[in-house]
C-alpha cells in the first residue's frame, strides 16, 4: 500500500469517529493533531476526488490543527468536528468518557488499536550535523 493510499485509508477509517451532529454532506471539519497538517494537505485532494466519484458531489474539507490533547478538549467542549484524527489513544478515551465517541471505540479495530500510525517529526540542529533521518540514526552511538 502506498503512503498516499494508506493516508486515504486513514481518513476514511477516521470517519468512524465522526462526532456531534453530522455536518453538511458537502463540508467536513477534520480536527487533528498538528504534526499531521502536511499529511492532510497532501491527501485531502485524493479524498475529495474519491468522494466526488462515490457520492457524485464535491466536498470541502476544513482543517483544525493543534496539540492532540488540546484538539480533543476542544471537541469535548463543543467544537463540532466531522472527523477527529488523534495520535494518542488517551485523547480518544477522554472523548469516549465525555460521550462524544463510543466507549468501545477501540474494539472496532484489530487488537483494540487506533487505525493509524503516528506521524513522526525529528527536530535537529541547524544543518543536521549528525545526519539524522530515521529511528536507526537515533540509535547510533
Amino acid at each position: 500500500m502506498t503512503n498516499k493510499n494508506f493516508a486515504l485509508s486513514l481518513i476514511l477509517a477516521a470517519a468512524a469517529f465522526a462526532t456531534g451532529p453530522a455536518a453538511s454532506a458537502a463540508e467536513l471539519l477534520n480536527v487533528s493533531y498538528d504534526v499531521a497538517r502536511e499529511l492532510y494537505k497532501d491527501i485531502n485532494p485524493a479524498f475529495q476526488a474519491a468522494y466526488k466519484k462515490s457520492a457524485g458531489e464535491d466536498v470541502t474539507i476544513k482543517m483544525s490543527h493543534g496539540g492532540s490533547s488540546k484538539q480533543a478538549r476542544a471537541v469535548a467542549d463543543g467544537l463540532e468536528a466531522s472527523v477527529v484524527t488523534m495520535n494518542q489513544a488517551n485523547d480518544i478515551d477522554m472523548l469516549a468518557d465525555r460521550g462524544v465517541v463510543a466507549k468501545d471505540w477501540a474494539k472496532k479495530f484489530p487488537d483494540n488499536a487506533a487505525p493509524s500510525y503516528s506521524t513522526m517529526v525529528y527536530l535537529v540542529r541547524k544543518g543536521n550535523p549528525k545526519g539524522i533521518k530515521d529511528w536507526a540514526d537515533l540509535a547510533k552511538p
Side-chain angles (χ1 to χ4, degrees):
M1 179 180 285
T2 67
N3 285 345
K4 209 167 224 185
N5 286 339
F6 174 77
L8 183 57
S9 298
L10 176 109
I11 197 168
L12 293 172
F17 295 110
T19 63
S24 159
E27 184 175 291
L28 297 173
L29 172 60
N30 180 358
V31 177
S32 187
Y33 57 107
D34 200 46
V35 175
R37 179 185 314 268
E38 296 301 313
L39 170 72
Y40 287 112
K41 185 176 91 176
D42 290 343
I43 67 165
N44 282 346
F47 177 81
Q48 288 168 310
Y51 185 88
K52 172 89 172 183
K53 186 175 181 180
S54 68
E57 64 179 298
D58 292 325
V59 62
T60 300
I61 303 173
K62 294 185 176 182
M63 301 297 302
S64 173
H65 291 279
S68 184
S69 295
K70 182 178 180 183
Q71 293 292 83
R73 282 190 305 274
V75 171
D77 291 342
L79 179 60
E80 292 187 18
S82 307
V83 176
V84 177
T85 53
M86 299 288 131
N87 66 339
Q88 300 179 109
N90 59 322
D91 290 329
I92 301 170
D93 289 338
M94 185 270 295
L95 292 173
D97 290 344
R98 299 268 190 103
V100 178
V101 298
K103 289 239 184 230
D104 66 345
W105 70 269
K107 292 180 180 174
K108 297 177 189 236
F109 302 100
D111 302 315
N112 292 321
S116 67
Y117 294 98
S118 183
T119 305
M120 303 308 295
V121 174
Y122 299 99
L123 299 176
V124 297
R125 289 189 174 105
K126 187 174 183 175
N128 193 10
K130 302 258 183 193
I132 296 171
K133 297 178 190 150
D134 58 27
W135 288 112
D137 293 334
L138 292 174
K140 291 178 183 174

